[in-house]
Amino acid sequence: QVQLVESGGGLVQPGGSLRLSCAASRNIASINAMGWYRQAPGKQRELVTIITSGGSTYYADSVKGRFTISRDNAKNTVYLQMNSLKPEDTAVYYCNATVQRMGVRYEYWGQGTQVTVSS
């Protein structure tokens, strides 16, 4: 079982930056992958970025070069640095943890944090 708590969302002007944090209730080094998803009004939830336990990362094309995922194992926290924000980045951002154990995949979600990009 993993509890995830996101923070850092808010209102920012286009071109601005925000950093989201996701604090996990257990050692994230033992979690196979952690990532960020987002869901805009009227749209399906989409993958933004993930980081594996080995440090590999993946980014959606829409955020490449603007967003950076990182993690601090000592703090059991994953971060999402978002730069050059655009209005289309407006969404609720969810932290996700994926654990593979004995052939079974477990997924855990945070409650979400709202990011609004608007002038």
Side-chain angles (χ1 to χ4, degrees), residues 32-65:
N32 297 89
M34 294 193 70
W36 292 92
Y37 289 68
R38 67 186 181 186
Q39 187 167 19
K43 294 188 177 181
Q44 289 190 333
R45 190 174 297 188
E46 63 176 0
L47 173 64
V48 176
T49 178
I50 59 172
I51 184 166
T52 69
S53 56
S56 298
T57 58
Y58 165 84
Y59 294 93
D61 287 343
S62 58
V63 306
K64 279 181 183 176

Side-chain angles (χ1 to χ4, degrees), residues 14-100:
S17 297
L18 280 176
R19 189 177 80 157
L20 305 183
S21 300
C22 173
S25 61
R26 58 178 272 190
N27 182 4
I28 64 172
S30 64
I31 295 174
N32 297 89
M34 294 193 70
W36 292 92
Y37 289 68
R38 67 186 181 186
Q39 187 167 19
K43 294 188 177 181
Q44 289 190 333
R45 190 174 297 188
E46 63 176 0
L47 173 64
V48 176
T49 178
I50 59 172
I51 184 166
T52 69
S53 56
S56 298
T57 58
Y58 165 84
Y59 294 93
D61 287 343
S62 58
V63 306
K64 279 181 183 176
R66 300 188 298 122
F67 290 11
T68 303
I69 189 170
S70 63
R71 66 184 188 200
D72 185 334
N73 287 352
K75 295 182 178 179
N76 292 327
T77 300
V78 172
Y79 303 98
L80 180 63
Q81 178 67 43
M82 305 186 293
N83 299 328
S84 303
L85 282 161
K86 304 175 182 180
E88 51 263 45
D89 295 317
T90 295
V92 178
Y93 283 70
Y94 297 90
C95 182
N96 169 273
T98 300
V99 178
Q100 294 271 11

